[in-house]
Amino acid sequence: ITIRVGKEPDHQDFLLHEGTMYARSEFFGRAMNGNWQEKEEHLVRLPQDKAEIFDYYTHLVNTRDRARPQTKASLRNEYTLLCHVYVLSEKLLDVKAKNATVKAILKVANESPTDGNWVVPPSHAVRVIYERTPPTSPARVLMVDL
């Protein structure tokens, strides 16, 4: 199945195994069942999403792990990226990816750069969660706890 992420003409295509995506994501399962254009073309378009976020999502889905940043700036960037991945996982109705993203956020929270200071999620990462998840989202509770 091809997932086309981003707006034309600057989109990026991702080729993913159908079975994996059906099993993980209710969104993809529904898109590829029934009498839909997506099923006929084996193509799902996500024009409002960003390729970098979807790429990280697929990395998390396929490896159940994340890259290990080394600096404060990269930890802050990773918090933001993971918050976007959580929101995408929620959109795609992928509970396993949401859980894996929470675990990855907790790993980031437990890492410290070489100066030993703890790095908290930056305000724009927290805003991503609060603006794009429902009020009952466990990700909001996690942001408050961090």
Side-chain angles (χ1 to χ4, degrees):
I1 157 177
T2 300
I3 313 299
R4 181 162 292 157
V5 182
K7 294 182 179 169
E8 305 282 346
D10 299 322
H11 67 273
Q12 185 173 343
D13 287 346
F14 293 84
L15 299 174
L16 303 171
H17 189 274
E18 287 182 34
T20 301
M21 297 316 293
Y22 295 169
R24 290 193 61 104
S25 167
E26 190 176 334
F27 174 88
F28 289 121
R30 288 181 182 183
M32 299 307 290
N33 288 314
N35 194 16
W36 302 100
Q37 179 181 356
E38 289 83 358
K39 181 180 178 182
E40 295 296 321
E41 296 176 344
H42 286 286
L43 172 67
V44 176
R45 291 174 181 84
L46 299 173
Q48 301 305 319
D49 295 297
K50 294 184 175 157
E52 177 188 17
I53 305 301
F54 194 82
D55 186 45
Y56 202 101
Y57 165 80
T58 60
H59 173 77
L60 205 58
V61 165
N62 291 325
T63 66
R64 297 185 188 106
D65 197 13
R66 63 177 188 74
R68 297 222 175 251
Q70 298 299 319
T71 66
K72 262 191 209 183
S74 62
L75 287 173
R76 286 189 183 106
N77 291 340
E78 189 165 15
Y79 270 128
T80 302
L81 184 59
L82 286 166
C83 287
H84 281 287
V85 170
Y86 183 91
V87 169
L88 176 64
S89 300
E90 190 158 275
K91 172 184 176 176
L92 299 178
L93 303 170
D94 186 341
V95 174
K96 288 181 182 178
K98 285 182 3 180
N99 291 338
T101 303
V102 167
K103 287 179 184 176
I105 289 171
L106 290 172
K107 281 184 182 179
V108 172
N110 288 314
E111 290 183 14
S112 59
T114 55
D115 65 5
N117 292 323
W118 191 51
V119 178
V120 297
S123 61
H124 54 275
V126 175
R127 190 173 18 262
V128 166
I129 294 296
Y130 270 80
E131 290 178 352
R132 299 182 186 161
T133 62
T136 58
S137 174
R140 289 184 179 199
V141 175
L142 176 61
M143 292 296 111
V144 170
D145 288 347
L146 291 175

